[in-house]
Amino acid sequence: MQLQADQLAVIINDADPLSVQAGEYYREARQIPAQNIIHVRIPGSPRNLSRVAFAKLKQEIDAQLTPSMQAMLMIWTAPYAVECNSITSAMTLGFDAQQCIKTCAPGKPSPYYNAITRQPFTEFGIRPSMLLPTESFEQAKALIDRGVQSGFRVYPSTAYYLITADKARNSRAAYFPPAGAIPQKKLVIKTLRQDSLIDAADIMVYQTGAVSVPHLETLRFQAGALADHLTSAGGDLLGKGQMSSLRWLDAGATASYGSVSEPCNYWQKFPNSSVLLKHYLAGETAIEAYWKSVGWPAQGVFIGEPLAAPYR
């Protein structure tokens, strides 16, 4: 059985009114038990925490967790980084100081990569974590609603994998799943040699490699859709240097991923497309499938609605 609502710890920043408002909406929408709601205060919502500030925050959160809680959701946009680590990785696996000595060095392998388990804390002592962004309550509400709606019905959909002209950012293209149809899942898989999609209206997965992805405003995503672009700073959610992974959620995707510091283009630092699709089609939630698809996740931030599971 995939992750259930009563196994998810929901963390709210009481110093951020949008976190409080979206957190309450999420609690009601997903029927999260009251004892699973954890309150903290992070004044000013800084984008990046020092390792010392993070250690205090993690200690405060850990003290309120119980063994039945298998995963965590932080209801805020920022903070999203801990020095060179993402906050989701630091919260799940602990802060990796070694990665920050040289961010372009190989990462530390995740024990959760491509794992069969549905009980990550029970079996590995880790809780996969995700951010649910709160740039506005309306956007957070729409994201939550898409996640909830994803569990009602599977619609005919397409998984799009794009091999672009940006060779450096195509490092995971060798791991795109083979093109074809999976009738029992109502899914068609397409691998395209082009730089972007325009006017696609049936997207369940969209993965590509690019600094910025054009034409998002022309696309329609299915409830529960996963989408990300392999680039250096997609996880710098509020940065201006490259396209933020938030833009995928703005366009209608339900979960995404991006790196918060320069990772170089190791495919292991980004979602492996075949692993991601395999776990999602097996009925796992977005947080399970996304986390299981990244081999070296120290620098990557997972964002979206964690319990989305269109193939449940």
Side-chain angles (χ1 to χ4, degrees), residues 198-279:
I198 301 177
D199 295 327
D202 61 348
I203 302 170
M204 183 56 76
V205 179
Y206 183 178
Q207 291 188 297
T208 185
V211 172
S212 183
V213 182
H215 312 301
L216 293 181
E217 73 283 355
T218 73
L219 306 178
R220 291 182 60 190
F221 292 82
Q222 303 282 35
L226 312 178
D228 60 74
H229 59 307
L230 192 156
T231 193
S232 296
D236 184 7
L237 300 180
L238 300 176
K240 303 297 183 183
Q242 296 183 356
M243 186 183 107
S244 166
S245 298
L246 290 175
R247 303 291 78 81
W248 291 109
L249 304 188
D250 294 345
T254 304
S256 189
Y257 174 92
S259 55
V260 302
S261 60
E262 177 56 68
C264 291
N265 65 341
Y266 292 102
W267 67 262
Q268 297 96 327
K269 293 186 179 183
F270 294 88
N272 179 302
S273 301
S274 290
V275 175
L276 176 65
L277 186 65
K278 177 183 74 173
H279 286 282

Side-chain angles (χ1 to χ4, degrees), residues 31-240:
Q31 294 295 292
I32 305 293
Q35 63 268 27
N36 289 37
I37 307 298
I38 294 173
H39 294 270
V40 297
R41 293 191 68 84
I42 311 172
S45 299
R47 299 179 186 184
N48 197 316
L49 295 176
S50 69
R51 68 185 72 184
V52 174
F54 171 74
K56 292 179 180 178
L57 175 64
K58 189 174 189 306
Q59 184 177 31
E60 182 180 358
I61 292 170
D62 286 349
Q64 301 178 66
L65 296 169
T66 66
S68 65
M69 298 174 189
Q70 298 290 324
M72 296 181 284
L73 175 64
M74 293 167 274
I75 309 277
W76 62 69
T77 302
Y80 50 82
V82 181
E83 298 186 14
C84 85
N85 288 200
S86 74
I87 195 170
T88 53
S89 175
M91 196 66 73
T92 297
L93 299 172
F95 177 72
D96 185 355
Q98 188 68 30
Q99 188 73 75
C100 296
I101 295 173
K102 184 179 180 182
T103 64
C104 269
K108 186 181 297 182
S110 167
Y112 197 48
Y113 177 69
N114 202 19
I116 298 173
T117 182
R118 300 291 177 91
Q119 303 282 325
F121 182 71
T122 301
E123 296 194 26
F124 296 119
I126 64 172
R127 294 180 176 92
S129 60
M130 185 171 270
L131 288 185
L132 195 152
T134 55
E135 287 187 287
S136 75
F137 176 68
E138 290 72 22
Q139 287 173 304
K141 179 180 181 297
L143 173 60
I144 293 165
D145 290 345
R146 292 197 295 275
V148 173
Q149 290 163 8
S150 73
F152 292 140
R153 180 181 174 187
V154 177
Y155 290 92
S157 306
T158 302
Y160 294 95
Y161 301 95
L162 269 61
I163 300 173
T164 68
D166 191 337
K167 292 184 178 180
R169 292 178 174 84
N170 283 324
S171 59
R172 64 174 167 180
Y175 299 96
F176 287 169
I182 307 176
Q184 64 271 35
K185 303 294 185 181
K186 300 182 181 179
L187 185 75
V188 174
I189 300 170
K190 293 183 178 180
T191 299
L192 306 172
R193 289 186 175 273
Q194 58 192 58
D195 288 344
S196 63
L197 287 179
I198 301 177
D199 295 327
D202 61 348
I203 302 170
M204 183 56 76
V205 179
Y206 183 178
Q207 291 188 297
T208 185
V211 172
S212 183
V213 182
H215 312 301
L216 293 181
E217 73 283 355
T218 73
L219 306 178
R220 291 182 60 190
F221 292 82
Q222 303 282 35
L226 312 178
D228 60 74
H229 59 307
L230 192 156
T231 193
S232 296
D236 184 7
L237 300 180
L238 300 176
K240 303 297 183 183

